[in-house]
Amino acid sequence: MVGAWFARTFKALEYRDYRVLWIGTSLAFLAFMMSSVVQAVVAFDLTGRNGAVGFVSLGMGLATILVSPFGGVVADRFPKRRMLFAGQTIIGLNFAAVGLLIIFDLITIPLLALSTLVMGAVFSFIGPARQAWIGELLPPKDLPNGIALQQVGMTLTRVIGPFIAAGLIGLSFVGTGGTYLFMAGLFVFVIGSLAMLPPSRAVARGGRSFRQDMALGMRHIRERKRLMLAVVTFIGVIMAGFSYFVVLPGFLENELGRSSKDMALLMAAGAASGFVVSLAVAGAAGSRHAWTLMAAGGAVLGLSLILLAAAPNFAVAMLAMLAIGAGTGAFQVLNNAIVMREAEPAYHGRVMSLTMLAWGVNGLVAYPFGALADRIGERETLGVMAAGVLAIIGAAWAASVPLRPGAPAIDVEAETLPRPAGGD
């Protein structure tokens, strides 16, 4: 039985090209997860305010909202490997620049926000490209498992990343500047993994304009009710519930009497449980129970935020973060798998670019949430987040009831993806 579970859960890793992409993607996510901790520490140390942590995230939010719809069209029109080469190089250089600014004591909040703006703009292109490339590397029957395993890898980096970031920040000869340089070094290996992969497909454009391709993607989502509901639910939950990291530094110092650097321990606890749950549900990503399990994960997130808001000490906060990690892990893995399953392969880049809007909106609301915490308190702000998550999950569950029976609609006008002789 264990052997059957293992084979089902890790099925997609049997494909060599997917395996190489998975490793490179996981290293990139490791750097990204480390950055969420170190940039929060730098911002809070510079100002001592929650609003500054949210303001830094604002740059990534603005870039993602403005750029990601275009990034999805580009991902569906141009070779993915070339896009990833360029994008990963820019992010690596961006991390290196911030590290040097910190080391030479030149970093400011506006410059830190500018770095997240650059990262958000680039990620808006490479995120959809990476997701769409998975659709090329795996057969349709194994695609949900491949998407789920990518989320598992991402969650694993959420476990490792905060610990590595906290350890490096704590070393006097490394600090926050050296941590940024370490993250930049990871991208040398990320780019190297891309060189091990075959050329990606060059997709025929069919004489359509850029705007027409974007409109087709939007129509594809509107016509598939379950797909649209999954996308809207994802955006709503990410917007309402995933900004808790903004108030964690202030929550620790003002409510629990701990150092803001202990944020890394809380994030790692949540990531550890998220990894376990993500791995547990990966095999169910393509099953008929996926929507129910996804909704359950969102509900757990909302209830866990209430527990965190009421935590009287650090131990209870750690317990709450374990539950938050479990809820977010299940929700993200299953939602991404549902979205990719409900969308036609020709639209994967455009569809995933719209789910990326969630992270853009998350970046935008991070600043208001941080300012709200400064005004009414961290506990109360966490309660507002919890109420939003539970309301969205409840509405999504009610809306999904009439959509559950039956098979996905077939898009007779969907594009095909012939493999041409060339590509990159």
Side-chain angles (χ1 to χ4, degrees):
M1 182 174 292
V2 174
W5 173 85
F6 188 89
R8 182 175 65 253
T9 301
F10 296 99
K11 174 66 176 175
L13 289 176
E14 295 178 1
Y15 300 89
R16 181 262 182 193
D17 290 342
Y18 171 81
R19 192 164 60 247
V20 171
L21 181 64
W22 185 88
I23 293 171
T25 299
S26 297
L27 288 174
F29 276 134
L30 176 61
F32 182 74
M33 294 306 169
M34 290 176 63
S35 74
S36 66
V37 174
V38 67
Q39 77 183 29
V41 171
V42 172
F44 194 77
D45 285 350
L46 283 173
T47 64
R49 297 185 63 82
N50 296 295
V53 181
F55 180 78
V56 168
S57 299
L58 189 64
M60 187 165 187
L62 285 172
T64 305
I65 285 180
L66 295 175
V67 179
S68 61
F70 302 97
V73 176
V74 172
D76 283 336
R77 288 166 66 103
F78 295 97
K80 282 76 174 174
R81 190 175 71 167
R82 186 183 305 169
M83 292 177 61
L84 290 174
F85 262 124
Q88 310 282 34
T89 301
I90 292 172
I91 291 180
L93 292 174
N94 181 46
F95 282 148
V98 174
L100 292 174
L101 286 171
I102 294 173
I103 289 172
F104 290 104
D105 200 24
L106 297 173
I107 193 65
T108 63
I109 291 296
L111 287 175
L112 199 58
L114 178 61
S115 75
T116 66
L117 180 72
V118 171
M119 189 161 59
V122 174
F123 197 73
S124 296
F125 287 98
I126 66 176
R130 184 186 289 114
Q131 290 281 73
W133 202 3
I134 294 175
E136 296 181 12
L137 299 178
L138 294 175
K141 65 183 178 65
D142 293 322
L143 180 58
N145 180 246
I147 297 299
L149 285 179
Q150 177 173 280
Q151 188 65 44
V152 168
M154 176 180 174
T155 307
L156 177 61
T157 65
R158 290 177 59 219
V159 179
I160 302 171
F163 277 120
I164 296 177
L168 292 175
I169 292 171
L171 295 174
S172 59
F173 60 90
V174 178
T176 52
T179 303
Y180 266 102
L181 294 181
F182 177 85
M183 296 187 302
L186 287 177
F187 277 88
V188 174
F189 298 97
V190 174
I191 294 169
S193 70
L194 294 176
M196 300 171 61
L197 291 170
S200 56
R201 299 173 183 174
V203 181
R205 303 176 192 176
R208 292 184 302 274
S209 69
F210 198 89
R211 181 180 298 179
Q212 287 172 326
D213 268 347
M214 187 180 296
L216 280 173
M218 294 298 297
R219 190 181 74 178
H220 183 69
I221 294 175
R222 288 197 307 269
E223 291 177 348
R224 293 180 168 234
K225 302 302 181 184
R226 277 181 290 177
L227 174 59
M228 184 171 181
L229 182 58
V231 170
V232 171
T233 301
F234 187 76
I235 293 174
V237 170
I238 297 298
M239 176 184 69
F242 278 55
S243 292
Y244 62 85
F245 73 92
V246 173
V247 304
L248 282 183
F251 179 73
L252 285 165
E253 291 203 354
N254 300 329
E255 299 290 344
L256 301 184
R258 306 277 298 208
S259 168
S260 63
K261 293 180 175 62
D262 287 340
M263 173 185 174
L265 297 176
L266 291 180
M267 298 288 283
S273 62
F275 171 70
V276 173
V277 172
S278 297
L279 197 59
V281 302
S287 76
R288 60 189 179 89
H289 302 296
W291 187 278
T292 300
L293 293 172
M294 180 199 73
V300 169
L301 169 61
L303 295 172
S304 303
L305 286 171
I306 295 176
L307 177 61
L308 180 62
N313 52 51
F314 189 74
V316 176
M318 286 284 282
L319 180 63
M321 286 300 299
L322 287 171
I324 287 173
T328 57
F331 177 79
Q332 286 186 267
V333 165
L334 295 167
N335 184 277
N336 277 306
I338 289 169
V339 167
M340 291 290 279
R341 183 183 66 194
E342 293 292 334
E344 288 288 338
Y347 295 94
H348 279 167
R350 280 162 284 184
V351 170
M352 293 312 299
S353 71
L354 289 180
T355 65
M356 283 191 62
L357 283 175
W359 300 110
V361 175
N362 178 248
L364 287 182
V365 301
Y367 178 63
F369 274 134
L372 183 65
D374 288 332
R375 186 175 181 84
I376 68 172
E378 289 85 4
R379 293 186 187 277
E380 291 78 4
T381 302
L382 288 169
V384 171
M385 294 177 184
V389 171
L390 292 174
I392 292 166
I393 287 296
W397 177 261
S400 72
V401 172
L403 300 179
R404 283 179 223 154
I410 297 176
D411 188 352
V412 296
E413 295 182 347
E415 304 160 284
T416 58
L417 286 172
R419 183 182 291 274
D424 196 2

